[in-house]
Amino acid sequence: MMPEQLTIALSKGRIFDETLPLLAAAGITPAEDPEHSRKLIIGTNRPNVRLVIVRATDVPTYVQYGAADFGIAGKDVLTEHGGDGLYQPLDLQIAQCRMMVAVRQGFDYEQASRPGRRLRVATKYPDIAAAHFAAKGVHVDIIKLYGSMELAPLVGLSDAIVDLVSTGGTLKANRLEAVEHIADISSRLVVNQAALKTKYEWIEPIIQAFARAVSGEA
Ligand code: ADP
Ligand code: MG
């Protein structure tokens, strides 16, 4: 007997766009584009499959509590969240970027991160940043931000930022430069552990279809 409904948590923008081909490979087509709809619950061509559109940082929470059966979230978000109660079967290799430390062009980062100094770091990722600098033995004050990290060093809020970089265009436009690479980031499939058991016949073929699409098999 098939369970009544399958709910998939996605965020708008990059992740949604890059997930569309994967969904298509699993035979799922959204009924609407969340970019042009105010609806937070979006139906699909499959009667009992729906998408919920949530903030990228909230995807693990919806899946963890079973409000969504599975979702797609960046490694950045998963690392910061901790990944508790989530099964992470697959790196989807979408929304690829790098977690970097960046400073104002010409800023003496070497000097500022020497023993005895305290580096002020603004970031949306306080746990990732704290772990990175602790491992290097650099003392930091972390300033939590929710967006536009690039502004912080320009107005003296911080010495450095920890942020995601893909092309480097935003850094360049703001006269910042990357000085350290912390991690390679991509988006992962995250599955609610209970749902994986109770809705196995639904979820397993979707995971397989995603895996084939990621590896380039038809
Ligand atoms: P928000 O604006 O809600 O913070 P974003 O759309 O900026 O979310 O980012 C959502 C996810 O997309 C991030 O968690 C990350 O995994 C990925 N991402 C963010 N910035 C980039 C980038 N420059 N290139 C590729 N992927 C990115
Ligand atoms: Mg953003």
Side-chain angles (χ1 to χ4, degrees):
M1 196 187 74
M2 280 296 231
E4 51 307 330
Q5 187 154 256
L6 193 71
T7 302
I8 306 171
L10 293 176
S11 56
K12 274 202 244 190
R14 191 163 4 228
I15 288 181
F16 186 88
D17 297 344
E18 296 188 30
T19 298
L20 280 178
L22 301 177
L23 288 173
I28 300 168
T29 310
E32 279 176 85
D33 175 358
E35 226 58 69
H36 299 113
S37 166
R38 289 166 187 253
K39 285 192 195 160
L40 298 175
I41 300 180
I42 293 185
T44 70
N45 62 319
R46 303 245 305 250
N48 302 323
V49 178
R50 63 180 186 174
L51 310 178
V52 292
I53 306 302
V54 304
R55 195 71 196 255
T57 42
D58 292 334
V59 167
T61 308
Y62 277 81
V63 176
Q64 176 183 14
Y65 287 96
D69 298 301
F70 68 87
I72 295 174
K75 180 87 171 87
D76 51 322
V77 163
L78 290 168
T79 305
E80 199 67 27
H81 172 272
D84 257 16
L86 300 176
Y87 172 57
Q88 299 182 31
L90 204 55
D91 180 350
L92 299 171
Q93 291 168 37
I94 59 170
Q96 291 185 336
C97 53
R98 308 202 294 164
M99 183 77 71
M100 307 283 285
V101 181
V103 298
R104 259 184 296 118
Q105 287 171 9
F107 178 83
D108 193 346
Y109 179 66
E110 282 295 316
Q111 172 81 19
S113 48
R114 286 216 179 116
R117 303 285 300 266
R118 288 190 82 83
L119 190 74
R120 295 214 300 170
V121 180
T123 186
K124 199 161 103 176
Y125 306 98
D127 291 351
I128 294 172
H132 171 72
F133 290 107
K136 291 188 19 152
V138 174
H139 292 281
V140 290
D141 292 316
I142 304 274
I143 300 168
K144 163 85 185 182
L145 291 179
Y146 293 87
S148 301
M149 262 74 73
E150 296 83 5
L151 180 62
L154 304 180
V155 294
L157 179 61
S158 72
D159 302 311
I161 60 172
V162 166
D163 197 8
L164 297 176
V165 179
S166 46
T167 62
T170 308
L171 291 183
K172 210 168 176 188
N174 290 291
R175 296 172 179 272
L176 300 176
E177 61 183 355
V179 287
E180 248 165 28
H181 173 227
I182 299 178
D184 289 324
I185 301 293
S186 58
S187 285
R188 318 286 162 115
L189 188 61
V190 291
V191 185
N192 177 275
Q193 286 174 348
L196 183 65
K197 297 197 185 86
T198 59
K199 303 186 184 180
Y200 188 81
E201 310 124 85
W202 257 6
I203 295 177
E204 179 57 19
I206 296 175
I207 296 176
Q208 294 306 329
F210 282 10
R212 284 194 302 273
V214 169
S215 70
E217 297 167 40

